[in-house]
Structure formats: C-alpha cells, structure tokens
Amino acid sequence: MTSIQETSAPREAGGPQGHWRRMRIWASAHAVDDFYQGLVPAAVPYFVLLRDFSYVQASGLALAATLGSALPQVPIGLLADRYRLQWMSPLGIGLAGTGAGLSGLVPSYPLVFALLLTAGVGIALFHPPAGRDARRAAGGSATAMSYFAAGGSVGFFTAPALVTPALDNLGMSATALFIPPAVLMGFFLLRHHHRTAGTAVKKTQRGGKDRPGLFAALTAVEIVRSTISTGLNTFISLYWIRHLEASSGLGGIALTLELGGGVLGTLLGGRLADRVGMVRTVQIGNAAMLPALWLMLMCDDKYFALPLALLVGLISNIPFAVLIKLGQDYLPGRPGTAAGVTLGLAVSAGGLFMPLLGLVAAHHGPRGTLMVLAAVPVLAILLSTALREPALPEPEAVKPPPATTT
C-alpha cells in the first residue's frame, strides 16, 4: 500500500511565535483531549474514598482507559496514513470527554470501567490523525512539535487543578461538568478541517526510508517511560494522602505540580533537542529521572516535598515531545502510525502494569509502589542507548540553469 502524507507546511519566520501560530489549533485540541486522560488519575482517589473501591479496582480504572486507547492505535494510524478522515480527531475528542465525564454518574464499577474504556477509544481516535497533521504544520522543528506535545501535558496539568476541587465540593457527579469542552473543541476542530481542506495537497512521502528496528527500540523506551508516568499519575496523590498524611486537596496539588512540571519539561525537551540532538536529549531525560524520583521519596515533609513533585514531572517529561518527532522520523512514510504508537499505544501501554502496581500498593502502600517505579528508569537508560539520530532526507536534485550564449 502506498503511503500518503500531506506536504510539509512552509516554515514561518519569527522563532517561537511563528511556531505557536502554526501549532496553536493542534496544541489546543491536544490539551482538551488529554485533559480527559488527566481526569482519570485525578478522580481515582475519590473512587477509593467515596465509592470504597479497592486499590486493585482503582488500578483497573487506569487499565480500562489504557485498553481503550492502546489497542486500536495501530489500525487507526494505518487508516490515518492512507486517508485524511477529517472526522476522526473531532469524534475522538467528543468520545473522550463524554466517557470520562459520565463515569462519575454511574453507580457500579463495571459501568465506570466501560465508560473509561469508551473514553480511551476516543483518545485512540484523536492521536494518530492529529499527530500526522501536527507534523505537517511543524515542518522539521522539534521546538514546534514540542508545542503540540506540551498541549497534551497542559491538559494533564489542568485536570487535577479543576477536577480535585470540583469532586471535593460536589462529589463524583461533578465529572459531568467536563463534558461540554470536549463537544465544543470537537466542533472547532471539525471547522478547522473544513477550512483547510482545500489547501491540503497530498503527495507520496519522500522523506527517507522507514527504519522499523530503531522504531521498535524507541517503542520499548516509551513503554518503560509510560509505566513510570502512569504509575506516578495514579499513585502520587494517594502517596501524599496515605503516607505523608496530607488532605485530599494537598494530594491533588501534588499531582497538579507533577503534571505542571511535565508541561515545562516537554517545552524544555524540544528546545534542547534542537540544540544538542534528539537522541542525546532522550538519554539525558532518562538518566535524570533516577535522582529526581529518589530525592522526592527521601523527603517526608508533605509541604517541602511539593517542589520535588514539580521537579519529577519536569525531568521525566524532557524526552516526551522528542520521542514523538523521533518516532515519525524513524517511520517517515507512516507518520500517523508512528504518532499512534508514540502518542497512544506506547504511552498507554504503561497502564497495563497498573494492576501489578496496585497489588504492590495493597501490600506495601503507595510509597512501596513509588519505590518500585523509582528503580525502573535504569531500564529506560539501557534501552535508550540503542537509539540513533535519524538520517537526514536526501535533498532533491537541482537542475542547473540553462546555458546562455554570448
């Protein structure tokens, strides 16, 4: 099957401002979509505290969202590479918001699980086509792509800041308040597709050959990092509440700071990659996770540990945007498939390990789970040594000017 991709958008002048003008619609849509991924870890403590769900059941909720978002990613990416499918990303945002928003209204665990599974499917529908179109808008800039990736981090960051006080004051039914943003963003994104459809020109990809071996190594790095990230997002609030004896509000602040640090780390990673290289940036971020995690766990003061949660989020997200762009550079002929894996399948795959981490928490508490996660970066460090900088695409031959006679 011939791979189809849109032509790269012309590079705008103006540095970061030019990057933002090209990426703002995709960064905004990514923020709204990933808000609902952030809603799940923000709501998990309340399912434990208000619905009496066990730690294993709470981990199962992360698994539900993971299964929905991970399993369909590859076929959706293949479709996005073959067809434009303008409705896919708007529909995905709508499903993500509706499923997550309704989860607090239903009375039973199976229904909550099913709705979060539906939300995960919506997330799966969004990422591959959005990643493909964001790559076109970003051109060759890692900094520009970091704006798109940071949009998702902003969504994660905003979720606990809004969801925690809403659930504290209104109970689980407050999740329904977060359905309208998904519907509105889906509508705006569909209008954007209709406005730009006439200017999108399709052509056969000419950016170099696919390198599936390197992409497989990158995917392995992503899965390891996803396990750490999903575990932190699920258990850091409970760690503050149960081990540091903080209030649920302070636990939500810890999660907000960790996710807020992720926004800064994502932007920092894009800038760093444009200066020192993508592979080196990934390796720096993976290596720095070890001391950051252990430093946070060594602090037993619930207030002094808060800046360390911010630091953990910042450092652990330095490679995030870089891995997205690097994956698409390893599979230049299939940018939608690459985005589906790096933004969806590999990132969500960490949730598959949440039941095991839930068992650790059941026996050793949330601190025991975080101590296990603090050892996992060693594997990410080792795997990232297999990565290589992508080959630059060969420039097209330039015809010499016609000879002139005197």
Side-chain angles (χ1 to χ4, degrees):
M1 181 176 64
T2 302
S3 176
I4 302 295
Q5 180 188 0
E6 296 173 59
T7 57
S8 295
R11 199 181 291 263
E12 294 182 30
Q17 291 184 352
H19 294 323
W20 172 246
R21 284 195 297 270
R22 301 204 304 272
M23 302 303 292
R24 58 190 172 188
I25 182 65
W26 295 111
S28 300
H30 200 188
V32 174
D33 182 78
D34 281 14
F35 175 91
Y36 301 102
Q37 282 189 303
L39 183 148
V40 176
V44 160
Y46 293 91
F47 282 111
V48 173
L49 299 173
L50 301 180
R51 296 284 185 85
D52 293 323
F53 288 178
S54 68
Y55 285 135
V56 175
Q57 286 178 313
S59 301
L61 297 183
L63 177 64
T66 295
L67 290 175
S69 61
L71 296 180
Q73 289 286 351
V74 172
I76 290 173
L78 292 171
L79 285 173
D81 286 328
R82 184 65 181 88
Y83 305 103
R84 184 163 172 81
L85 300 177
Q86 297 177 343
W87 51 266
M88 189 180 285
S89 48
L91 176 63
I93 290 181
L95 279 179
T98 302
L102 292 178
S103 65
L105 302 181
V106 297
S108 67
Y109 181 82
L111 287 175
V112 175
F113 189 96
L115 284 168
L116 293 181
L117 187 70
T118 301
V121 171
I123 291 165
L125 285 171
F126 172 80
H127 280 132
R132 173 203 63 197
D133 293 338
R135 174 179 170 84
R136 179 181 63 86
S141 170
T143 299
M145 202 64 184
S146 75
Y147 283 107
F148 171 68
S153 299
V154 168
F156 267 103
F157 164 74
T158 306
L162 297 179
V163 172
T164 298
L167 298 184
D168 264 337
N169 291 286
L170 301 175
M172 293 306 305
S173 61
T175 57
L177 297 174
F178 303 107
I179 297 176
V183 177
L184 290 173
M185 191 68 235
F187 172 73
F188 290 141
L189 190 55
L190 191 61
R191 286 191 61 191
H192 173 75
H193 277 308
H194 288 161
R195 286 197 305 268
T196 59
T199 61
V201 180
K202 295 184 178 181
K203 72 171 185 177
T204 302
Q205 171 66 26
R206 298 184 62 183
K209 66 178 183 178
D210 293 344
R211 305 174 75 182
L214 288 175
F215 186 77
L218 180 142
T219 302
V221 173
E222 281 267 40
I223 291 172
V224 173
R225 289 175 40 77
S226 170
T227 302
I228 300 170
S229 177
T230 307
L232 281 171
N233 295 342
T234 303
F235 287 102
I236 194 169
S237 182
L238 289 170
Y239 170 74
W240 249 257
I241 295 169
R242 294 292 168 87
H243 179 75
L244 300 181
E245 299 180 348
S247 65
S248 60
L250 195 62
I253 290 174
L255 176 60
T256 301
L257 288 172
E258 188 254 325
L259 297 175
V263 178
L264 301 176
T266 300
L267 294 172
L268 175 62
R271 297 289 181 88
L272 192 62
D274 280 338
R275 287 162 174 77
V276 304
M278 290 186 286
V279 172
R280 186 175 297 177
T281 300
V282 171
Q283 292 169 344
I284 290 171
N286 289 339
M289 272 197 292
L290 272 174
L293 286 167
W294 284 108
L295 190 62
M296 184 183 74
L297 291 173
M298 289 170 61
C299 182
D300 285 329
D301 186 281
K302 59 187 176 183
Y303 296 108
F304 289 147
L306 289 174
L308 298 177
L310 177 72
L311 179 66
V312 165
L314 187 153
I315 289 176
S316 63
N317 278 273
I318 285 174
F320 180 47
V322 184
L323 286 167
I324 296 170
K325 185 179 186 303
L326 192 59
Q328 291 181 321
D329 288 344
Y330 285 161
L331 293 184
R334 299 187 181 278
T337 303
V341 174
T342 56
L343 278 169
L345 180 60
V347 169
S348 300
L352 298 174
F353 298 94
M354 289 307 101
L356 293 177
L357 294 176
L359 289 173
V360 174
H363 289 87
H364 303 286
R367 178 178 170 82
T369 300
L370 294 188
M371 291 182 71
V372 170
L373 292 173
V376 177
V378 173
L379 184 55
I381 293 169
L382 294 174
L383 289 170
S384 63
T385 60
L387 302 179
R388 298 292 182 270
E389 288 292 338
L392 294 175
E394 295 182 4
E396 295 185 21
V398 179
K399 294 182 180 180
T404 59
T405 57
T406 59

